[in-house]
Amino acid sequence: MERRAGSPALTVGKSSSAPPPLQLGAAVEGRQAARVLIPPSARAPERPPSDLIWSLAGESMGTTWSVRLVPPMGTTQDVFQATIEAELARIIALFSPWTPGSEISRFNNAPAGTWKLSDDFWSLLNAALDLADDVNGAVDPTLGALVDLWGFGPPGPRDPLNPLPSAEEVEAALAVSGWQKLRLNRDAQAAVQLGGMKLDFSGIAKGHAVDRVSARLTEMGASSHLVEIGGELLGRGVKPDAQPWWVEIEAVPGSPAPHTVAALFDVAVATSGDWRRAFVHEERLYPHTIDGSTGRPVDNGLAQVTVFDASAMRADAFATALTVLGPYDGPEFAEAMQIAACFVERTPRGLVERMSSAFAAMMDEEEA
């Protein structure tokens, strides 16, 4: 058994062929922006396969999704809609703990022993463990017992008369949590269930789904597209008018940051916010992000972290990890790893914004 060891010149302007705004991470068209972000790119944009833009949408993974794509000639919207829905259904069947028959649910409910995993599950589990190693567990795929304990998992919210778990309950959940405790049998492509360990990919699941949908669209010839699932976004290529996919960066209520838009050309953006899924008890906010080192929801003052990365899954994971690392270690880690990240912290002076040098480099010189 084994334990895991530790840009093209893009311009701002109106786009007559653009889709309407998105509810989360809104696609922006023709709006004056106080801050414009243009991430660097390693390639020049190519001409899209047609002059059309299709808008598709639906519900999945407990949230909504939307796709804007430039279709190749000879295809239909129904085919793309069905393909996207099938890909998301496949992801749910693998990784959703809310689905009783999913692969993750079968592992989580299995008795102690060694359990063989499918190729796709094995691949994502290894990616999640690699990310956990990178951030010393600040994002951790083995915290399902703690997520459930605090009322953010499939069992649902806690009893209002008993909103907080006891110290003994937290310790018991911690005993079956922690990425360093998960053993793998590589020869058998299997993971060892300790008995009571629960995997949870909520720190990377939406980002992974965005990457997978984007890959399927590219395989189908729609190489220019914008994918959004629950606020996580990835843009590929450009629109028929050569404009990038402009999106609005979601802001925490009351944020001091100016209205901000970004050009998503072969880049993803993810945001972690303490107000999205949380409960309040005795005037204290308990957000859904769990710190695996304490077994409790984070309580470090960070209200929001936004991350850009070539992969939506990595952007999603780093947004979670930097939130757990907090307002001091988070920016230091982002700087050391050259992560493009922006932090909004709650302080006695109000909300304060900080950004890494890689994030600041996406602004023009006057803004930076």
PDB file of all heavy atoms in Angstrom, residues 299-302 305 321-336 343 345-349 352 354:
ATOM      1  N   ASP A 299     -12.340  30.449   9.699  1.00  0.00           N
ATOM      2  CA  ASP A 299     -12.697  31.652  10.461  1.00  0.00           C
ATOM      3  C   ASP A 299     -11.471  32.552  10.528  1.00  0.00           C
ATOM      4  O   ASP A 299     -10.902  32.798  11.583  1.00  0.00           O
ATOM      5  CB  ASP A 299     -13.161  31.263  11.875  1.00  0.00           C
ATOM      6  CG  ASP A 299     -13.602  32.470  12.705  1.00  0.00           C
ATOM      7  OD1 ASP A 299     -14.058  33.462  12.102  1.00  0.00           O
ATOM      8  OD2 ASP A 299     -13.464  32.418  13.942  1.00  0.00           O
ATOM      9  N   ASN A 300     -11.047  33.011   9.341  1.00  0.00           N
ATOM     10  CA  ASN A 300      -9.808  33.787   9.264  1.00  0.00           C
ATOM     11  C   ASN A 300      -9.998  35.179   8.677  1.00  0.00           C
ATOM     12  O   ASN A 300      -9.024  35.889   8.428  1.00  0.00           O
ATOM     13  CB  ASN A 300      -8.746  33.023   8.472  1.00  0.00           C
ATOM     14  CG  ASN A 300      -9.237  32.614   7.079  1.00  0.00           C
ATOM     15  OD1 ASN A 300     -10.074  33.291   6.480  1.00  0.00           O
ATOM     16  ND2 ASN A 300      -8.722  31.503   6.562  1.00  0.00           N
ATOM     17  N   GLY A 301     -11.242  35.561   8.421  1.00  0.00           N
ATOM     18  CA  GLY A 301     -11.511  36.907   7.925  1.00  0.00           C
ATOM     19  C   GLY A 301     -11.578  37.041   6.428  1.00  0.00           C
ATOM     20  O   GLY A 301     -11.994  38.094   5.931  1.00  0.00           O
ATOM     21  N   LEU A 302     -11.180  36.004   5.678  1.00  0.00           N
ATOM     22  CA  LEU A 302     -11.252  36.115   4.221  1.00  0.00           C
ATOM     23  C   LEU A 302     -12.695  35.987   3.753  1.00  0.00           C
ATOM     24  O   LEU A 302     -13.363  34.993   4.030  1.00  0.00           O
ATOM     25  CB  LEU A 302     -10.387  35.049   3.547  1.00  0.00           C
ATOM     26  CG  LEU A 302      -8.908  35.366   3.382  1.00  0.00           C
ATOM     27  CD1 LEU A 302      -8.205  34.238   2.618  1.00  0.00           C
ATOM     28  CD2 LEU A 302      -8.686  36.687   2.656  1.00  0.00           C
ATOM     29  N   VAL A 305     -11.930  34.872  -2.384  1.00  0.00           N
ATOM     30  CA  VAL A 305     -10.679  34.679  -3.120  1.00  0.00           C
ATOM     31  C   VAL A 305     -11.035  34.352  -4.562  1.00  0.00           C
ATOM     32  O   VAL A 305     -11.866  33.472  -4.814  1.00  0.00           O
ATOM     33  CB  VAL A 305      -9.819  33.543  -2.522  1.00  0.00           C
ATOM     34  CG1 VAL A 305      -8.554  33.359  -3.357  1.00  0.00           C
ATOM     35  CG2 VAL A 305      -9.452  33.836  -1.071  1.00  0.00           C
ATOM     36  N   ALA A 321      -8.170  26.503  -1.481  1.00  0.00           N
ATOM     37  CA  ALA A 321      -6.958  26.373  -0.667  1.00  0.00           C
ATOM     38  C   ALA A 321      -6.503  27.717  -0.109  1.00  0.00           C
ATOM     39  O   ALA A 321      -6.124  27.817   1.074  1.00  0.00           O
ATOM     40  CB  ALA A 321      -5.840  25.750  -1.502  1.00  0.00           C
ATOM     41  N   LEU A 322      -6.526  28.739  -0.932  1.00  0.00           N
ATOM     42  CA  LEU A 322      -6.080  30.060  -0.465  1.00  0.00           C
ATOM     43  C   LEU A 322      -7.027  30.612   0.589  1.00  0.00           C
ATOM     44  O   LEU A 322      -6.612  31.329   1.503  1.00  0.00           O
ATOM     45  CB  LEU A 322      -5.962  31.017  -1.651  1.00  0.00           C
ATOM     46  CG  LEU A 322      -4.884  30.655  -2.684  1.00  0.00           C
ATOM     47  CD1 LEU A 322      -4.945  31.605  -3.874  1.00  0.00           C
ATOM     48  CD2 LEU A 322      -3.488  30.691  -2.060  1.00  0.00           C
ATOM     49  N   THR A 323      -8.318  30.273   0.471  1.00  0.00           N
ATOM     50  CA  THR A 323      -9.279  30.665   1.504  1.00  0.00           C
ATOM     51  C   THR A 323      -8.910  30.024   2.832  1.00  0.00           C
ATOM     52  O   THR A 323      -8.923  30.679   3.885  1.00  0.00           O
ATOM     53  CB  THR A 323     -10.706  30.261   1.095  1.00  0.00           C
ATOM     54  OG1 THR A 323     -11.074  30.975  -0.097  1.00  0.00           O
ATOM     55  CG2 THR A 323     -11.700  30.582   2.189  1.00  0.00           C
ATOM     56  N   VAL A 324      -8.573  28.737   2.808  1.00  0.00           N
ATOM     57  CA  VAL A 324      -8.194  28.027   4.032  1.00  0.00           C
ATOM     58  C   VAL A 324      -6.879  28.570   4.585  1.00  0.00           C
ATOM     59  O   VAL A 324      -6.726  28.733   5.809  1.00  0.00           O
ATOM     60  CB  VAL A 324      -8.101  26.513   3.764  1.00  0.00           C
ATOM     61  CG1 VAL A 324      -7.520  25.781   4.978  1.00  0.00           C
ATOM     62  CG2 VAL A 324      -9.467  25.953   3.410  1.00  0.00           C
ATOM     63  N   LEU A 325      -5.926  28.866   3.721  1.00  0.00           N
ATOM     64  CA  LEU A 325      -4.627  29.365   4.178  1.00  0.00           C
ATOM     65  C   LEU A 325      -4.742  30.726   4.861  1.00  0.00           C
ATOM     66  O   LEU A 325      -3.941  31.054   5.735  1.00  0.00           O
ATOM     67  CB  LEU A 325      -3.652  29.441   3.005  1.00  0.00           C
ATOM     68  CG  LEU A 325      -3.162  28.091   2.472  1.00  0.00           C
ATOM     69  CD1 LEU A 325      -2.367  28.282   1.187  1.00  0.00           C
ATOM     70  CD2 LEU A 325      -2.329  27.367   3.520  1.00  0.00           C
ATOM     71  N   GLY A 326      -5.715  31.528   4.454  1.00  0.00           N
ATOM     72  CA  GLY A 326      -5.991  32.760   5.176  1.00  0.00           C
ATOM     73  C   GLY A 326      -5.343  34.001   4.598  1.00  0.00           C
ATOM     74  O   GLY A 326      -4.630  33.950   3.592  1.00  0.00           O
ATOM     75  N   PRO A 327      -5.572  35.151   5.229  1.00  0.00           N
ATOM     76  CA  PRO A 327      -5.160  36.444   4.664  1.00  0.00           C
ATOM     77  C   PRO A 327      -3.658  36.715   4.723  1.00  0.00           C
ATOM     78  O   PRO A 327      -3.195  37.695   4.131  1.00  0.00           O
ATOM     79  CB  PRO A 327      -5.932  37.454   5.517  1.00  0.00           C
ATOM     80  CG  PRO A 327      -6.144  36.755   6.820  1.00  0.00           C
ATOM     81  CD  PRO A 327      -6.337  35.308   6.479  1.00  0.00           C
ATOM     82  N   TYR A 328      -2.899  35.889   5.405  1.00  0.00           N
ATOM     83  CA  TYR A 328      -1.451  36.087   5.468  1.00  0.00           C
ATOM     84  C   TYR A 328      -0.720  34.997   4.694  1.00  0.00           C
ATOM     85  O   TYR A 328       0.045  35.284   3.769  1.00  0.00           O
ATOM     86  CB  TYR A 328      -0.986  36.132   6.930  1.00  0.00           C
ATOM     87  CG  TYR A 328      -1.661  37.225   7.721  1.00  0.00           C
ATOM     88  CD1 TYR A 328      -2.662  36.928   8.637  1.00  0.00           C
ATOM     89  CD2 TYR A 328      -1.330  38.570   7.518  1.00  0.00           C
ATOM     90  CE1 TYR A 328      -3.309  37.930   9.339  1.00  0.00           C
ATOM     91  CE2 TYR A 328      -1.964  39.575   8.214  1.00  0.00           C
ATOM     92  CZ  TYR A 328      -2.961  39.252   9.130  1.00  0.00           C
ATOM     93  OH  TYR A 328      -3.605  40.246   9.813  1.00  0.00           O
ATOM     94  N   ASP A 329      -0.953  33.734   5.070  1.00  0.00           N
ATOM     95  CA  ASP A 329      -0.304  32.635   4.363  1.00  0.00           C
ATOM     96  C   ASP A 329      -0.823  32.499   2.934  1.00  0.00           C
ATOM     97  O   ASP A 329      -0.064  32.081   2.049  1.00  0.00           O
ATOM     98  CB  ASP A 329      -0.531  31.322   5.112  1.00  0.00           C
ATOM     99  CG  ASP A 329       0.203  31.279   6.442  1.00  0.00           C
ATOM    100  OD1 ASP A 329       1.118  32.103   6.635  1.00  0.00           O
ATOM    101  OD2 ASP A 329      -0.151  30.438   7.295  1.00  0.00           O
ATOM    102  N   GLY A 330      -2.098  32.824   2.699  1.00  0.00           N
ATOM    103  CA  GLY A 330      -2.658  32.707   1.356  1.00  0.00           C
ATOM    104  C   GLY A 330      -1.940  33.572   0.336  1.00  0.00           C
ATOM    105  O   GLY A 330      -1.431  33.063  -0.670  1.00  0.00           O
ATOM    106  N   PRO A 331      -1.854  34.895   0.553  1.00  0.00           N
ATOM    107  CA  PRO A 331      -1.121  35.737  -0.395  1.00  0.00           C
ATOM    108  C   PRO A 331       0.349  35.348  -0.521  1.00  0.00           C
ATOM    109  O   PRO A 331       0.920  35.420  -1.621  1.00  0.00           O
ATOM    110  CB  PRO A 331      -1.281  37.138   0.207  1.00  0.00           C
ATOM    111  CG  PRO A 331      -2.570  37.073   0.957  1.00  0.00           C
ATOM    112  CD  PRO A 331      -2.606  35.689   1.541  1.00  0.00           C
ATOM    113  N   GLU A 332       0.963  34.912   0.571  1.00  0.00           N
ATOM    114  CA  GLU A 332       2.373  34.507   0.502  1.00  0.00           C
ATOM    115  C   GLU A 332       2.535  33.274  -0.393  1.00  0.00           C
ATOM    116  O   GLU A 332       3.454  33.205  -1.212  1.00  0.00           O
ATOM    117  CB  GLU A 332       2.892  34.211   1.906  1.00  0.00           C
ATOM    118  CG  GLU A 332       4.363  33.841   1.964  1.00  0.00           C
ATOM    119  CD  GLU A 332       4.853  33.621   3.383  1.00  0.00           C
ATOM    120  OE1 GLU A 332       4.323  34.268   4.305  1.00  0.00           O
ATOM    121  OE2 GLU A 332       5.776  32.794   3.569  1.00  0.00           O
ATOM    122  N   PHE A 333       1.621  32.305  -0.234  1.00  0.00           N
ATOM    123  CA  PHE A 333       1.677  31.109  -1.068  1.00  0.00           C
ATOM    124  C   PHE A 333       1.398  31.460  -2.531  1.00  0.00           C
ATOM    125  O   PHE A 333       2.089  30.965  -3.439  1.00  0.00           O
ATOM    126  CB  PHE A 333       0.656  30.090  -0.573  1.00  0.00           C
ATOM    127  CG  PHE A 333       0.642  28.808  -1.362  1.00  0.00           C
ATOM    128  CD1 PHE A 333       1.540  27.796  -1.083  1.00  0.00           C
ATOM    129  CD2 PHE A 333      -0.280  28.611  -2.389  1.00  0.00           C
ATOM    130  CE1 PHE A 333       1.532  26.608  -1.805  1.00  0.00           C
ATOM    131  CE2 PHE A 333      -0.291  27.430  -3.120  1.00  0.00           C
ATOM    132  CZ  PHE A 333       0.612  26.433  -2.830  1.00  0.00           C
ATOM    133  N   ALA A 334       0.412  32.303  -2.785  1.00  0.00           N
ATOM    134  CA  ALA A 334       0.087  32.698  -4.156  1.00  0.00           C
ATOM    135  C   ALA A 334       1.277  33.385  -4.815  1.00  0.00           C
ATOM    136  O   ALA A 334       1.566  33.157  -5.995  1.00  0.00           O
ATOM    137  CB  ALA A 334      -1.135  33.619  -4.167  1.00  0.00           C
ATOM    138  N   GLU A 335       1.972  34.212  -4.061  1.00  0.00           N
ATOM    139  CA  GLU A 335       3.136  34.902  -4.605  1.00  0.00           C
ATOM    140  C   GLU A 335       4.245  33.915  -4.928  1.00  0.00           C
ATOM    141  O   GLU A 335       4.874  33.976  -5.995  1.00  0.00           O
ATOM    142  CB  GLU A 335       3.631  35.946  -3.604  1.00  0.00           C
ATOM    143  CG  GLU A 335       4.457  37.057  -4.213  1.00  0.00           C
ATOM    144  CD  GLU A 335       3.675  37.904  -5.202  1.00  0.00           C
ATOM    145  OE1 GLU A 335       2.497  38.205  -4.942  1.00  0.00           O
ATOM    146  OE2 GLU A 335       4.247  38.242  -6.256  1.00  0.00           O
ATOM    147  N   ALA A 336       4.489  32.978  -4.015  1.00  0.00           N
ATOM    148  CA  ALA A 336       5.569  32.010  -4.216  1.00  0.00           C
ATOM    149  C   ALA A 336       5.290  31.098  -5.409  1.00  0.00           C
ATOM    150  O   ALA A 336       6.207  30.713  -6.139  1.00  0.00           O
ATOM    151  CB  ALA A 336       5.757  31.180  -2.949  1.00  0.00           C
ATOM    152  N   PHE A 343      -7.597  38.711  -3.125  1.00  0.00           N
ATOM    153  CA  PHE A 343      -8.164  38.402  -1.815  1.00  0.00           C
ATOM    154  C   PHE A 343      -8.958  39.598  -1.307  1.00  0.00           C
ATOM    155  O   PHE A 343      -8.523  40.749  -1.452  1.00  0.00           O
ATOM    156  CB  PHE A 343      -7.049  38.123  -0.795  1.00  0.00           C
ATOM    157  CG  PHE A 343      -6.105  37.021  -1.187  1.00  0.00           C
ATOM    158  CD1 PHE A 343      -5.081  37.238  -2.107  1.00  0.00           C
ATOM    159  CD2 PHE A 343      -6.218  35.756  -0.627  1.00  0.00           C
ATOM    160  CE1 PHE A 343      -4.209  36.222  -2.463  1.00  0.00           C
ATOM    161  CE2 PHE A 343      -5.349  34.735  -0.971  1.00  0.00           C
ATOM    162  CZ  PHE A 343      -4.343  34.972  -1.891  1.00  0.00           C
ATOM    163  N   GLU A 345     -10.531  40.722   2.341  1.00  0.00           N
ATOM    164  CA  GLU A 345     -10.527  40.374   3.763  1.00  0.00           C
ATOM    165  C   GLU A 345     -11.459  41.291   4.543  1.00  0.00           C
ATOM    166  O   GLU A 345     -11.535  42.495   4.284  1.00  0.00           O
ATOM    167  CB  GLU A 345      -9.108  40.499   4.325  1.00  0.00           C
ATOM    168  CG  GLU A 345      -8.987  40.157   5.802  1.00  0.00           C
ATOM    169  CD  GLU A 345      -7.612  40.468   6.369  1.00  0.00           C
ATOM    170  OE1 GLU A 345      -6.747  40.962   5.611  1.00  0.00           O
ATOM    171  OE2 GLU A 345      -7.410  40.215   7.569  1.00  0.00           O
ATOM    172  N   ARG A 346     -12.157  40.706   5.509  1.00  0.00           N
ATOM    173  CA  ARG A 346     -12.972  41.484   6.438  1.00  0.00           C
ATOM    174  C   ARG A 346     -12.064  41.948   7.580  1.00  0.00           C
ATOM    175  O   ARG A 346     -11.449  41.132   8.260  1.00  0.00           O
ATOM    176  CB  ARG A 346     -14.116  40.648   6.999  1.00  0.00           C
ATOM    177  CG  ARG A 346     -15.051  40.102   5.927  1.00  0.00           C
ATOM    178  CD  ARG A 346     -16.237  39.378   6.551  1.00  0.00           C
ATOM    179  NE  ARG A 346     -16.976  38.603   5.558  1.00  0.00           N
ATOM    180  CZ  ARG A 346     -17.903  39.107   4.757  1.00  0.00           C
ATOM    181  NH1 ARG A 346     -18.210  40.394   4.836  1.00  0.00           N
ATOM    182  NH2 ARG A 346     -18.536  38.332   3.877  1.00  0.00           N
ATOM    183  N   THR A 347     -11.972  43.263   7.784  1.00  0.00           N
ATOM    184  CA  THR A 347     -11.120  43.830   8.836  1.00  0.00           C
ATOM    185  C   THR A 347     -11.932  44.849   9.637  1.00  0.00           C
ATOM    186  O   THR A 347     -13.033  45.252   9.220  1.00  0.00           O
ATOM    187  CB  THR A 347      -9.886  44.524   8.237  1.00  0.00           C
ATOM    188  OG1 THR A 347     -10.290  45.784   7.657  1.00  0.00           O
ATOM    189  CG2 THR A 347      -9.220  43.661   7.161  1.00  0.00           C
ATOM    190  N   PRO A 348     -11.410  45.300  10.788  1.00  0.00           N
ATOM    191  CA  PRO A 348     -12.102  46.354  11.538  1.00  0.00           C
ATOM    192  C   PRO A 348     -12.303  47.627  10.727  1.00  0.00           C
ATOM    193  O   PRO A 348     -13.202  48.420  11.021  1.00  0.00           O
ATOM    194  CB  PRO A 348     -11.178  46.586  12.732  1.00  0.00           C
ATOM    195  CG  PRO A 348     -10.459  45.287  12.920  1.00  0.00           C
ATOM    196  CD  PRO A 348     -10.248  44.763  11.535  1.00  0.00           C
ATOM    197  N   ARG A 349     -11.481  47.817   9.689  1.00  0.00           N
ATOM    198  CA  ARG A 349     -11.609  49.006   8.827  1.00  0.00           C
ATOM    199  C   ARG A 349     -12.594  48.775   7.688  1.00  0.00           C
ATOM    200  O   ARG A 349     -12.825  49.672   6.882  1.00  0.00           O
ATOM    201  CB  ARG A 349     -10.243  49.387   8.235  1.00  0.00           C
ATOM    202  CG  ARG A 349      -9.150  49.539   9.257  1.00  0.00           C
ATOM    203  CD  ARG A 349      -7.876  50.119   8.644  1.00  0.00           C
ATOM    204  NE  ARG A 349      -7.468  49.450   7.415  1.00  0.00           N
ATOM    205  CZ  ARG A 349      -6.725  48.346   7.375  1.00  0.00           C
ATOM    206  NH1 ARG A 349      -6.384  47.737   8.503  1.00  0.00           N
ATOM    207  NH2 ARG A 349      -6.359  47.822   6.230  1.00  0.00           N
ATOM    208  N   VAL A 352     -11.000  44.840   2.781  1.00  0.00           N
ATOM    209  CA  VAL A 352      -9.708  45.252   2.228  1.00  0.00           C
ATOM    210  C   VAL A 352      -9.312  44.272   1.138  1.00  0.00           C
ATOM    211  O   VAL A 352      -9.386  43.051   1.336  1.00  0.00           O
ATOM    212  CB  VAL A 352      -8.628  45.295   3.319  1.00  0.00           C
ATOM    213  CG1 VAL A 352      -7.265  45.600   2.704  1.00  0.00           C
ATOM    214  CG2 VAL A 352      -8.973  46.330   4.371  1.00  0.00           C
ATOM    215  N   ARG A 354      -6.490  42.658  -1.511  1.00  0.00           N
ATOM    216  CA  ARG A 354      -5.075  42.431  -1.813  1.00  0.00           C
ATOM    217  C   ARG A 354      -5.003  41.561  -3.052  1.00  0.00           C
ATOM    218  O   ARG A 354      -5.899  40.763  -3.312  1.00  0.00           O
ATOM    219  CB  ARG A 354      -4.358  41.729  -0.654  1.00  0.00           C
ATOM    220  CG  ARG A 354      -4.314  42.498   0.640  1.00  0.00           C
ATOM    221  CD  ARG A 354      -3.498  41.738   1.687  1.00  0.00           C
ATOM    222  NE  ARG A 354      -3.418  42.460   2.944  1.00  0.00           N
ATOM    223  CZ  ARG A 354      -4.297  42.364   3.929  1.00  0.00           C
ATOM    224  NH1 ARG A 354      -5.341  41.553   3.787  1.00  0.00           N
ATOM    225  NH2 ARG A 354      -4.159  43.050   5.042  1.00  0.00           N
TER     226      ARG A 354
END
